[in-house]
Amino acid sequence: MFKHWKSGLAGAVAAATLAMPLTAAAELTDGKVKIGVLSDMSGVYKALEGPGAVTAAKMAVEDFGGSVMGKPIEIISADHQNKPDIGASTAREWIDADEVDMITALDNSSVALSVQGLANDKKIITMNTGAGTTALTEEQCTPYGIHYVYDTHALPVGTATAMVKNGGESWFFITADYAFGHSLRDNTGAVVESLGGEVVGNVNAPLSTNDFSSYLLQAQSSGADVIGLANAGQDTVNAIKQANQFRIVQGGQKLAGMLVFITDVHSMGLDIAQGLQFTTAFVWNQNDETEAWSRRFYERHNAMPTMVHAGVYSAVTNYLEAVKATGSDDSDTVRAKLGEMTLNDMFVKGGKILPNGSMLHDMYLVEVKKPDEASEEWDLLRVVSKIPADQAYISLEDSKCPLVN
C-alpha cells in the first residue's frame, strides 16, 4: 500500500533512531500525563476545531480509562487567537511551568510552525491536527513534530484532480494571506499544472475577511473555469455565500473549496453548498464505527465532528497508547514508539507516522448532497472515492525534510 515511501524508510528510521535513543526509565516524570489543546477558541476556526477539540481530547482520555500506569491524565486548553506569538508564549508557559507532555490541535499554520519549533527546542511532542502547511513535515520538520489529519498536499490530490479531469483546466485562486493559504495555493496549482491545466491568476485576502466582493469580481472577470478557495473556516463560508449572491456558479464557473469542513457545509446549507466537492479525512456516518463515536460527540458538542475533531481523539488516544506501551512519557521514547505503531481506530485504519512526522492515511473525495438526498440534519456528504495514502501524501524519497534526506 505504501510502496512510494518504503524504499527510503529503512535509512530514515535508522537516522531517527540515532537522533532519539530509547534510554528513558519506565516512569512518568511528574507523576501524570498532561496534554495541551491549543486552538482557535473564538475566531474563524472556532467551529472546525476550537472547543470541540477539547471535547474530543477528553473523550479520548475517558475511553482510555482516565489514567495510564495508574497515574492521572490531564487535559488543559487555551486560545491561540490565530497569533503565532500568543501560541508560542502559551506553549512555552505550558512546557516550562505546567510540565505539558504533548500539545495538539494548532489550527493555524503560522501558529503551528511557531509552536512546533519551540516545542522541538524543548523536546516536546506536537501532534498537529488542525494546520495544513506541508512545511511542518518538509522544510521545517522536527524530530518531535507530527502532522496528523491532513496537509496541503493531500487536499488538492483529490479535489483538483477530479475537477481538472472534469474540464476545469484554468484556475484562479482566492488565497488566505498567510502560510497555510500560500501552501495550499501552491500545492493545488502544482497538481493542476501537472495534469495539463493552468493557473491564470491569484489574489490574496487577509484572514477573517468579511467582504469577498472585490476578490470574487476579480476571479469572475478572469474567465477561469475554476475559482479555487485556498482558505478555510468562516472565510470559506463567507466566500461561497457571496459567490452565490454573484451567481458565479450559475454563470458557468465552478467553485473549488480546497479545505472544507462539515461545519462549513452545515452553516451554508444544502441549497447553497449542494454539488460542492472537496477532500476530507473523515465522514461521520461513513460506517457504524464512525457513526457511533460521532453521535457520542454530538451529545456533548451539539454538532457532528469535523475531521479535525476526530483526529484529535485519535492523536490523543495513540499518544497514550505509546506512553502505556513504553512505560514512559519521555518524548524520545514515545516518539520512537509512535513511529513503530500501526494506527487503527475509528478515525484511521493502517496509519503510519513517518520519520518526517507525516501520518500516512487514506483520504476521501466527497460531494455535498442535494437537499432531497439528506436523511437528517447532518447527513450532508457522500463519498465519491477513496484516495490511498501513498497517493495523498508526499513520499519520503521526495521529501525535503532534512531528517530523512
Side-chain angles (χ1 to χ4, degrees):
M1 179 180 179
F2 304 127
K3 60 183 178 180
H4 294 294
W5 56 265
K6 276 184 176 178
S7 62
L9 183 57
V13 169
T17 301
L18 288 173
M20 298 184 290
L22 300 178
T23 57
E27 61 180 9
L28 303 183
T29 52
D30 59 347
K32 60 184 173 184
V33 171
K34 185 175 286 189
I35 296 170
V37 179
L38 185 56
S39 186
D40 176 5
M41 301 293 183
S42 56
V44 293
Y45 300 149
K46 176 183 177 180
L48 66 88
E49 192 158 62
V54 181
T55 298
K58 289 181 176 179
M59 287 175 65
V61 172
E62 292 169 15
D63 290 350
F64 195 78
S67 64
V68 59
M69 298 157 52
K71 302 297 183 181
I73 305 166
E74 184 178 347
I75 300 292
I76 63 174
S77 62
D79 185 353
H80 59 53
Q81 301 177 43
N82 291 301
K83 297 178 179 178
D85 56 339
I86 291 178
S89 176
T90 302
R92 182 178 291 106
E93 181 178 352
W94 279 357
I95 296 167
D96 292 344
D98 297 330
E99 297 187 272
V100 160
D101 299 295
M102 189 270 279
I103 299 173
T104 190
L106 299 168
D107 44 30
N108 176 300
S109 289
S110 296
V111 172
L113 289 168
S114 178
V115 172
Q116 179 171 287
L118 170 74
N120 178 65
D121 292 341
K122 295 178 177 292
K123 298 185 177 182
I124 294 296
I125 291 173
T126 54
M127 300 184 77
N128 191 304
T129 55
T133 179
T134 53
L136 289 162
T137 53
E138 290 294 293
E139 296 88 350
Q140 298 188 50
C141 68
T142 74
Y144 304 99
I146 296 171
H147 202 176
Y148 205 82
V149 175
Y150 71 94
D151 66 23
T152 54
H153 183 274
L155 294 173
V157 168
T159 309
T161 298
M163 299 199 78
V164 173
K165 289 183 176 179
N166 287 324
E169 296 183 354
S170 60
W171 287 59
F172 185 100
F173 287 99
I174 298 176
T175 303
D177 194 14
Y178 74 108
F180 156 73
H182 297 169
S183 180
L184 184 53
R185 175 200 62 209
D186 293 346
N187 280 284
T188 305
V191 171
V192 169
E193 291 171 351
S194 72
L195 295 169
E198 63 174 333
V199 177
V200 299
N202 172 79
V203 61
N204 294 329
L207 185 64
S208 302
T209 294
N210 291 318
D211 185 0
F212 280 87
S213 299
S214 64
Y215 310 120
L216 288 166
L217 288 172
Q218 290 181 61
Q220 189 176 41
S221 64
S222 74
D225 298 326
V226 179
I227 300 172
L229 302 176
N231 52 18
Q234 191 59 44
D235 284 352
T236 298
V237 172
N238 289 341
I240 293 176
K241 284 183 175 180
Q242 289 166 35
N244 185 63
Q245 293 170 4
F246 282 109
R247 299 184 64 80
I248 285 177
V249 174
Q250 293 87 336
Q253 291 175 294
K254 298 177 182 178
L255 287 179
M258 300 316 302
L259 178 55
V260 179
F261 295 85
I262 192 171
T263 45
D264 302 330
V265 176
H266 186 264
S267 175
M268 288 183 280
L270 294 182
D271 285 336
I272 292 176
Q274 61 181 303
L276 181 67
Q277 290 190 343
F278 60 93
T279 301
T280 185
F282 180 80
V283 179
W284 74 267
N285 55 353
Q286 184 173 0
N287 56 53
D288 291 344
E289 189 179 14
T290 58
E291 182 171 348
W293 181 84
S294 297
R295 292 196 184 279
R296 288 174 52 216
F297 179 88
Y298 181 89
E299 290 175 359
R300 298 182 181 215
H301 190 61
N302 200 35
M304 284 300 177
T306 65
M307 63 173 170
V308 170
H309 294 142
V312 168
Y313 177 90
S314 177
V316 171
T317 297
N318 285 298
Y319 174 81
L320 294 173
E321 290 287 359
V323 171
K324 179 181 178 181
T326 59
S328 174
D329 59 0
D330 172 74
S331 292
D332 290 331
T333 305
V334 174
R335 176 62 183 90
K337 184 62 181 178
L338 285 167
E340 297 171 0
M341 293 165 56
T342 298
L343 310 183
N344 288 294
D345 53 38
M346 63 85 197
F347 172 73
V348 59
K349 300 299 180 188
K352 297 294 292 186
I353 299 175
L354 303 186
N356 65 355
S358 179
M359 199 277 274
L360 232 63
H361 59 286
D362 297 335
M363 300 288 286
Y364 302 92
L365 178 67
V366 299
E367 183 173 279
V368 178
K369 292 182 175 182
K370 298 176 182 178
D372 61 1
E373 295 175 332
S375 61
E376 59 180 287
E377 180 184 1
W378 286 87
D379 180 28
L380 305 173
L381 309 175
R382 68 176 184 89
V383 176
V384 175
S385 61
K386 181 171 75 173
I387 306 161
D390 60 346
Q391 295 178 23
Y393 291 91
I394 298 170
S395 66
L396 278 184
E397 60 190 16
D398 292 330
S399 176
K400 297 177 182 176
C401 172
L403 296 175
V404 298
N405 290 319

